[in-house]
Amino acid sequence: MLVFLKKKNSYLYSVHISVVSLIHRVGLFISSLLIWDSKTFISVVDIFVICSPDSLHLSSHVKFYLVIKTCKKMGIQTVAVHSDVDSNVHVKMADEAVCVGPAPTSKSYLNMDAIMDAIRLTGAQAVSGNEFLAAVGVTFIGPDTHAIQAMGDKIESKLIAKAAKVNTIPGFDGVVKTAEDAVKIAQQIGYPVMIKASAGGGGKGMRIAWNDEETREGFRFSSQEAASSFGDDRLLIEKYIDNPRHIEIQVLADKHGNVLWLNERECSIQRRNQKVVEEAPSMFLDADTRRVMGEQAVQLAKAVKYSSAGTVEFLVDSKKNFYFLEMNTRLQVEHPVTECITGLDLVEQMIRIAKGYQLQQKQEDIPINGWAIESRVYAEDPFKSFGLPSIGRLSQYQEPLKLSHVRVDSGIEEGSDINIYYDPMISKLVTYGATRAEALARMEDALDNYVIRGVTHNIPLLREIITHPRFVSGDISTNFLPEVYPEGFKGHHLDEDRCRELLASAAALHVTSQLYSHKILGTQRVSSAPMDQNNWELCVELGQELHDIEISKSGNSYIVKVDGGQVEVCGDWNLASPLLPLTINGTCRMLQCLSKESSGNIVLQYMGTLFKVRVLSKLTAKLNSYMPEKVSEDTSSILRSPMPGTVVAMSVKPGDTVADGQEICVIEAMKMQNSLTAVKQAKVKSVHCQPGETVGEGDLLVELE
């Protein structure tokens, strides 16, 4: 997303041409701002490195939503530049908007002709050279270009960090040219190693290798992802720090040499090297380690003459040894948790710094007030590799903003589309409190109250993470998800009590729905069940099990006898609301009813996970037992796409024989490349796609004999 800000009735846009050229190399997204005070105004260009250029995503909606929100507070008008499928909330919030082309970023955001046309259309002026910028008083909201270039290259940034006496990870500091070179370097470093894109970020172009074969494969995929995402296929190799924590330091620097560190963020909960849950501060750091990490982050910022907000990321082992990972020269997705505990508005600080003001705070003024947790809500299927992308339209969308101490940065709304072109982030959900326990309890409530319909989302996984005993105790690392869910995420596990709660809630909801259906505009109609009936005998089907239910009604309360226990369920039973607040055995629970049918089929979101139940009468359940079971499809002889995406490579053709585990094709989804392999040795019968084709989730790719 490109956002231009302007002064009312006057356009004074300027874009540094060398920065525009950087879009192709390191993936910068430009926002040009006009800022003025009571005496004068200056024209400035705001640069945010959202991520790689071809993975422009909904988190950019979020960031520019925040930029526009802050600018409105400061009295600055805005112009949003967008692709033809990308006109979300940030576009509606802006005072003006310009479409720069179709969805693919190469034809819109990376189309320099279209961008320059938009600048000319709105009265912008392209300029070349820092000297000219200085002459006309144009300033960047963000670091100088030399800092962006230095820190945007992982090889160069590591060398600079070493020179600045910042702890760095052992590894090869040069460019790895071939797969065989990668193997030799990995052997010298010692396995495991991390193969990384030099210009990378957001987990793209990263692979862990434990042996020579994985190094060759990692080199291939990382270089392809790097070329696709960053236009730069250079790679480096470092020693992989096994079972580390990912802890980063937020820095803030002005143009007068003043640099502050704004405490740390714990970002260890990750999947595919991408962050999922973040918090500030970290439970793991003590005051001395925090101070040393902060001071080293400041040393690095000063070494590159950094100004604006930035993040220095570290890996921290179990003994609190820490190693520089990278520096992000942008506003991070997780910056709200830092704002919550420090009370600083980082966007406003960036604008002040760009204007030339000195920092108003000293290091001793930076507090840690309370605790903040951020959950990244994605349109993903968490049951597939902890989150493969989902696409669709948000048919219903309701943020939990009625709850206290909850912040949602989304940039989307009901009716917004999530498509294959951009990263599937929906929002950043943030809760905060005086203690970590308070912030976690509020996050649990917020996730239960978050209504998202039309796409599959990762709220089931997020809720399980923040309530898991290991997370609650702070026993976490970047390997948390594969260690806690070695067989993959399966959703919330129902113990006996929770199972009874779910069954009782479904039965009570079914009875309530049936009773409501007996009336039309308040007038009773002929019904198979008498209106004064208060007792029912039912069966509830959950999974492969059938449970006998006895249920009685008194007012808005139901007493349900199930599986040898008794459950009392009370509620207002507003069937028109997507939220279903219930009191179950005296405990408040927030359920969501996604669908209910007269046949008894109900889909409930309970403890964050979707459960499909079927409520039947005794007679229907008996007759249903005679129905033939549907035979499941034999998937061992077919390969279907597990996600929407683009076929990058097809490695087989009809007649080929494939071995168990052999690569069949590569699907790229949101610029992450995924190798799909055979589950058995077989002969290829037919191929139903070819490189370059777009496929949907479940589409047939290859048939085996």
Side-chain angles (χ1 to χ4, degrees):
M1 241 62 53
L2 301 168
V3 180
F4 301 100
L5 305 172
K6 66 170 188 176
K7 183 174 182 290
K8 188 173 182 180
N9 299 324
S10 174
Y11 293 87
L12 289 176
Y13 295 151
S14 297
V15 177
H16 192 314
I17 200 68
S18 67
V19 176
V20 173
S21 69
L22 281 174
I23 293 177
H24 288 287
R25 202 170 73 79
V26 294
L28 304 186
F29 296 94
I30 302 174
S31 304
S32 131
L33 302 166
L34 267 177
I35 298 178
W36 62 95
D37 56 24
S38 58
K39 296 180 179 178
T40 185
F41 62 85
I42 61 172
S43 175
V44 300
V45 177
D46 174 14
I47 301 176
F48 288 94
V49 184
I50 298 302
C51 60
S52 62
D54 274 330
S55 61
L56 181 68
H57 51 49
L58 289 177
S59 70
S60 59
H61 297 170
V62 174
K63 290 182 181 181
F64 287 114
Y65 160 82
L66 294 174
V67 171
I68 294 172
K69 183 178 179 181
T70 298
C71 289
K72 284 182 177 294
K73 182 176 69 174
M74 299 176 72
I76 303 169
Q77 290 191 314
T78 61
V79 178
V81 181
H82 62 94
S83 73
D84 60 5
V85 299
D86 218 9
S87 55
N88 280 295
V89 170
H90 81 287
V91 173
K92 297 178 181 179
M93 285 181 65
D95 297 290
E96 294 183 37
V98 178
C99 180
V100 291
T105 52
S106 60
K107 297 179 180 179
S108 53
Y109 299 109
L110 298 186
N111 182 343
M112 287 303 99
D113 289 339
I115 297 300
M116 298 312 295
D117 284 345
I119 293 170
R120 285 190 289 269
L121 175 67
T122 54
Q125 179 187 8
V127 298
S128 60
N130 281 317
E131 298 79 12
F132 182 76
L133 285 174
V136 299
V138 175
T139 308
F140 290 106
I141 294 185
D144 292 335
T145 55
H146 73 86
I148 295 171
Q149 291 173 313
M151 293 296 99
D153 187 308
K154 285 185 172 58
I155 296 173
E156 185 178 352
S157 66
K158 186 175 179 180
L159 295 174
I160 293 172
K162 278 185 176 180
K165 298 182 179 180
V166 176
N167 301 347
T168 57
I169 301 173
F172 179 70
D173 297 331
V175 178
V176 185
K177 296 181 179 179
T178 67
E180 293 310 311
D181 286 342
V183 170
K184 291 177 183 177
I185 293 167
Q187 291 173 343
Q188 292 170 1
I189 296 173
Y191 288 108
V193 297
M194 174 69 83
I195 303 169
K196 300 164 65 175
S198 177
K204 295 177 175 60
M206 296 178 65
R207 289 290 191 280
I208 300 169
W210 295 81
N211 53 50
D212 292 353
E213 186 57 35
E214 289 185 5
T215 299
R216 293 186 182 93
E217 184 180 89
F219 179 89
R220 176 166 71 101
F221 282 121
S222 290
S223 59
Q224 288 173 355
E225 285 181 3
S228 173
S229 295
F230 315 115
D232 184 343
D233 64 357
R234 294 176 303 141
L235 303 176
L236 72 156
I237 298 180
E238 294 177 336
K239 178 69 177 177
Y240 175 63
I241 308 300
D242 195 15
N243 217 40
R245 288 175 178 259
H246 186 132
I247 298 178
E248 59 192 30
I249 302 292
Q250 176 74 59
V251 296
L252 194 62
D254 63 24
K255 297 180 181 297
H256 304 277
N258 302 306
V259 185
L260 303 175
W261 50 275
L262 309 183
N263 302 309
E264 80 283 358
R265 297 187 288 257
E266 172 87 58
C267 306
S268 296
I269 305 299
Q270 302 181 3
R271 53 100 178 89
R272 298 192 300 279
N273 300 307
Q274 292 178 316
K275 303 164 188 174
V276 180
V277 177
E278 301 103 349
E279 61 182 303
S282 168
M283 288 185 69
F284 187 63
L285 294 192
D286 54 64
D288 288 340
T289 306
R290 176 181 294 116
R291 176 184 53 79
V292 175
M293 290 179 71
E295 289 172 351
Q296 288 200 13
V298 167
Q299 288 167 204
L300 180 61
K302 288 183 175 180
V304 293
K305 296 181 173 58
Y306 198 86
S307 62
S308 194
T311 303
V312 182
E313 303 191 3
F314 295 95
L315 291 181
V316 185
D317 67 20
S318 59
K319 297 180 180 179
K320 297 183 182 177
N321 299 309
F322 59 89
Y323 306 93
F324 170 71
L325 182 62
E326 64 180 340
M327 184 177 188
N328 280 298
T329 55
R330 65 180 187 265
L331 193 67
Q332 290 283 83
V333 170
E334 58 272 22
H335 82 276
V337 293
T338 295
E339 293 186 334
C340 288
I341 67 166
T342 63
L344 295 175
D345 184 329
L346 293 184
V347 175
E348 184 175 350
Q349 291 296 320
M350 292 171 72
I351 295 173
R352 285 181 53 84
I353 291 168
K355 176 85 184 229
Y357 292 124
Q358 292 192 44
L359 293 174
Q360 297 172 305
Q361 300 82 15
K362 302 295 183 183
Q363 189 61 56
E364 57 268 22
D365 299 328
I366 304 303
I368 298 180
N369 289 330
W371 215 284
I373 311 283
E374 175 179 292
S375 294
R376 298 192 184 194
V377 181
Y378 284 98
E380 290 181 336
D381 186 346
F383 300 93
K384 297 179 179 178
S385 301
F386 301 114
L388 293 184
S390 171
I391 62 173
R393 174 166 293 180
L394 292 170
S395 57
Q396 196 168 12
Y397 183 74
Q398 183 176 310
E399 297 172 349
L401 294 175
K402 292 183 179 180
L403 303 179
S404 64
H405 296 85
V406 173
R407 168 176 170 175
V408 183
D409 297 345
S410 63
I412 58 172
E413 61 187 353
E414 192 169 293
S416 293
D417 286 312
I418 296 176
N419 51 56
I420 66 172
Y421 299 104
Y422 312 121
D423 184 280
M425 178 179 281
I426 293 175
S427 73
K428 303 182 297 182
L429 177 62
V430 183
T431 60
Y432 48 100
T435 64
R436 187 172 188 263
E438 214 173 82
L440 284 174
R442 286 172 175 156
M443 179 60 71
E444 185 177 344
D445 287 343
L447 289 169
D448 284 342
N449 281 269
Y450 206 147
V451 177
I452 302 173
R453 305 282 191 272
V455 296
T456 304
H457 53 77
N458 68 332
I459 282 180
L461 176 61
L462 294 173
R463 196 185 189 284
E464 289 299 299
I465 291 171
I466 61 105
T467 58
H468 195 279
R470 269 190 60 178
F471 183 84
V472 173
S473 68
D475 178 18
I476 59 177
S477 73
T478 55
N479 293 326
F480 178 88
L481 289 179
E483 287 175 358
V484 171
Y485 308 106
E487 302 299 322
F489 179 66
K490 306 297 183 183
H492 182 75
H493 174 70
L494 293 170
D495 59 23
E496 288 186 4
D497 289 339
R498 301 292 86 76
C499 184
R500 279 194 287 264
E501 282 190 9
L502 175 62
L503 296 171
S505 300
L509 178 62
H510 174 76
V511 170
T512 301
S513 180
Q514 291 295 306
L515 291 176
Y516 278 12
S517 70
H518 296 160
K519 293 185 177 183
I520 299 177
L521 298 178
T523 302
Q524 293 188 18
R525 64 186 176 109
V526 177
S527 171
S528 58
M531 288 300 296
D532 57 353
Q533 182 178 353
N534 290 312
N535 298 279
W536 297 264
E537 291 187 355
L538 302 170
C539 291
V540 181
E541 185 179 77
L542 176 62
Q544 301 299 315
E545 296 183 357
L546 200 62
H547 304 262
D548 290 332
I549 298 280
E550 292 182 16
I551 181 170
S552 59
K553 183 178 185 296
S554 176
N556 287 332
S557 298
Y558 291 91
I559 299 298
V560 184
K561 294 180 180 179
V562 52
D563 293 345
Q566 180 170 294
V567 181
E568 182 181 11
V569 184
C570 307
D572 291 334
W573 305 106
N574 181 0
L575 301 183
S577 172
L579 296 173
L580 190 62
L582 300 177
T583 301
I584 305 176
N585 284 343
T587 301
C588 295
R589 304 279 191 202
M590 181 60 74
L591 282 70
Q592 295 187 31
C593 180
L594 278 73
S595 67
K596 59 182 180 297
E597 301 172 359
S598 58
S599 60
N601 291 317
I602 299 175
V603 178
L604 285 175
Q605 182 173 307
Y606 172 71
M607 298 290 184
T609 296
L610 297 186
F611 293 95
K612 296 180 180 180
V613 299
R614 192 178 182 191
V615 184
L616 306 170
S617 67
K618 290 274 190 177
L619 176 60
T620 303
K622 181 179 179 180
L623 295 175
N624 193 57
S625 65
Y626 296 104
M627 297 293 290
E629 293 186 8
K630 182 179 180 181
V631 179
S632 300
E633 180 182 36
D634 179 11
T635 58
S636 64
S637 297
I638 60 174
L639 179 66
R640 295 186 181 276
S641 179
M643 75 210 85
T646 303
V647 180
V648 175
M650 179 58 65
S651 305
V652 300
K653 61 183 183 299
D656 288 352
T657 298
V658 295
D660 181 11
Q662 180 179 332
E663 179 179 288
I664 292 180
C665 66
V666 176
I667 301 293
E668 183 176 87
M670 313 301 182
K671 299 308 168 187
M672 295 290 284
Q673 296 197 356
N674 304 274
S675 175
L676 307 185
T677 59
V679 297
K680 67 178 182 180
Q681 181 173 335
K683 187 176 182 180
V684 178
K685 179 181 179 181
S686 58
V687 175
H688 296 269
C689 62
Q690 58 185 3
E693 283 188 6
T694 298
V695 295
E697 180 181 354
D699 283 1
L700 180 62
L701 304 177
V702 173
E703 288 184 274
L704 304 175
E705 293 182 352

